[in-house]
Amino acid sequence: MNFEFPALPYAYDALEPHIDKMTMEIHHTKHHRAYYDKFIAAIKGTDLENKGLDEIFAGVSKASVAVRNNGGGFYNHNLFWEVLSPGGGGAPSGKLADAINSSFGSLDDFKARFNDAAANRFGSGWAWLIVKADKSLAVTSTPNQDNPLMDVNDVHGRPILGLDVWEHAYYLKYQNRRPDYIGAFWNLINWEKVAENYEKAL
Amino acid sequence: MKKISILMPLIAAGMLTVAPAVAQKAESNKAKTVKTAVKGTPVPSVGTASQVKELPAEMSFWMTPAAKLTFPALPYSYNALSDVIDSLTVAIHYDRHHRAYYTNFIKAIEGTEMEVLSIYEIFNKMSEFPVSVRNNGGGFYNHVVYWQNLTPGGGVKPSGLLAEEITKAFGSYDAFITRFADAAKTRFGSGWAWLAVDFKTGELFITSTANQDNPLMNTEERRGFPILGIDVWEHAYYLKYQNKRADYIESFGKIINWKDVEARYQYFLQARKNFLN
Ligand SMILES: [Fe+2]
Ligand SMILES: [Fe+2]
């Protein structure tokens, strides 16, 4: 398996004013990059080198903590960048919209659940929209760089939308005001990509 | 009110006048007044009765019912640490993050049995109480230690008994600094690194805790009394250092108030039996 560090699918300033250029640049070239580099170093010469991320995460409790932290950090940010877009926001449509309505009641109910998960994750972590094994949708959150594909979490599923709530994701612009950052996130969501992730997860 | 006896050895020895909640008047201190009104609390080296009397804040802290704890003033101005920590970071960290932990802690214990317990008695039963008390009580206490551990004129090496104990436990002062920095660097995500005194053995040890946990809590494997703490949540350094946590940690040594660390060490030695759960 060859893991590649992905380019950002838009310019560093593309998400202004919701996420500032400097945050994007440091987040991608420093934080994300470091997770990638350390993940590659952690699996080098081990039997994980030829496995996919799904398989690695499914057995991550048996791997080193470096694999868990950096593999998570690598994958989570891959997903994060691709579900954001300068032309994002609005509402989902089609099958995904139906699934959100049937799982949460309405788009607003889903947003409220997701906001809570993101705001109440104490310390560093992520909020997720996932597709569970029974194909239903759920909102969950994980600490640090864990994710719902890992066997260390209670709630399992495939993430189709994720929000990074580490302070590095928002501190330069929002400082202690995490809820403002979460609010801004809804203006950036690339729902077409999320719908695509949903289709793939089914 | 339940009797809280952490300070009894000092009181019995005539070393401390009981005057709860003195010197912690800062709840009414607005950000502006902090700049001028609170000039570096001089923390003497402990050892004589008269000197111990100069430490009412630390002493009364442990005997105050949690509901009566106040939000302490910052012992220097926001820009006092600016060689190492910029003034905006100090201002937001103290007046927003720390204050929010304090406010939410008081709210979380309101109307509960915890109101009359000392904060140590709460930490000592941490696993029995709601997570909001753990997060906010820890956040409140940890930052109290953090601000007092720092000073613009810091960086002078420890002396006396503490210096000897550091050498005994870690080999040398430099070896201690390296180990402490390692603990701070390798804490993944949000948390703290600590120099603490083991409850059971009285030995110094280095540990790190997640989020707002600390070694006083019964949720920790190795428990002890924290005498030096470094906050490695990103909010502690991100405006100035961004992803370079190591640079913040390396610079931190320049502002350590070793007098305060020594005072905490001495305090624990005197009050130790009250922390043996
Ligand atoms: Fe991140
Ligand atoms: Fe902090």
Side-chain angles (χ1 to χ4, degrees), chain A residues 22-23 26-27 30-31 35 69-70 122-124 144-145 166-169 171-173 175-176 178, chain B residues 88-89 92-93 96-97 101 135-136 188-190 211-212 233-236 238-240 242-243 245:
Chain A
M22 189 178 176
T23 295
I26 296 171
H27 204 168
K30 300 289 195 279
H31 293 281
Y35 290 127
N69 291 344
N70 296 299
F122 191 67
S124 305
N144 297 331
Q145 294 296 353
W166 283 58
E167 288 173 324
H168 67 234
Y171 210 79
L172 295 181
K173 186 176 173 78
Q175 293 92 45
N176 60 307
R178 187 193 285 189
Chain B
L88 184 60
T89 295
I92 296 171
H93 200 173
R96 299 287 186 271
H97 292 280
Y101 289 128
N135 291 343
N136 293 298
F188 191 67
S190 306
N211 296 329
Q212 295 296 352
W233 283 58
E234 287 170 326
H235 66 231
Y238 210 80
L239 296 182
K240 187 176 166 85
Q242 294 93 45
N243 59 304
R245 185 195 283 191

Side-chain angles (χ1 to χ4, degrees), chain B residues 141 145 149 162 165-166 169-170 176 179-180 183 192-209 213-217 220 222-230 258 261 264-266 268-269 272:
Chain B
Y141 169 76
V145 176
N149 270 172
L162 178 60
E165 290 297 315
I166 284 175
F170 309 109
F176 156 71
R179 291 261 308 272
F180 185 73
W192 293 73
W194 304 97
L195 173 62
V197 196
D198 190 291
F199 280 169
K200 291 202 179 97
T201 65
E203 288 168 338
L204 294 176
F205 69 103
I206 290 167
T207 186
S208 88
T209 53
D213 291 352
N214 67 51
L216 293 170
M217 295 179 178
E220 284 300 306
R222 188 169 183 184
R223 298 182 60 197
F225 187 80
I227 60 174
L228 174 67
I230 180 169
W258 281 105
V261 182
R264 284 172 198 283
Y265 182 60
Q266 292 286 351
F268 176 72
L269 294 185
R272 181 174 164 188

Side-chain angles (χ1 to χ4, degrees), chain A residues 122, chain B residues 24 27 61 64-73 94 97-106 109 119 122-123 132-148 192 194 212-214 217:
Chain A
F122 191 67
Chain B
Q24 295 197 13
E27 174 53 0
F61 188 86
T64 304
K68 298 246 161 66
L69 286 167
T70 54
F71 185 61
Y94 169 75
H97 292 280
H98 190 188
R99 190 185 294 277
Y101 289 128
Y102 168 74
T103 308
N104 292 330
F105 170 60
I106 297 298
I109 62 169
I119 199 162
I122 294 174
F123 290 157
S132 60
V133 177
R134 176 172 173 176
N135 291 343
N136 293 298
F140 167 53
Y141 169 76
N142 296 348
H143 289 88
V144 170
V145 176
Y146 182 72
W147 300 124
Q148 292 174 7
W192 293 73
W194 304 97
Q212 295 296 352
D213 291 352
N214 67 51
M217 295 179 178

Side-chain angles (χ1 to χ4, degrees), chain B residues 16-87:
Chain B
L16 180 69
T17 311
V18 181
V22 288
Q24 295 197 13
K25 57 185 163 122
E27 174 53 0
S28 59
N29 265 337
K30 294 267 156 36
K32 263 183 263 159
T33 62
V34 170
K35 288 185 179 160
T36 50
V38 193
K39 188 69 186 154
T41 312
V43 181
S45 56
V46 180
T48 72
S50 66
Q51 283 171 324
V52 170
K53 276 181 192 161
E54 291 173 47
L55 285 169
E58 175 63 14
M59 305 287 148
S60 66
F61 188 86
W62 298 106
M63 59 190 306
T64 304
K68 298 246 161 66
L69 286 167
T70 54
F71 185 61
L74 195 68
Y76 33 73
S77 64
Y78 290 149
N79 64 7
L81 308 175
S82 59
D83 282 354
V84 177
I85 308 175
D86 59 288
S87 60

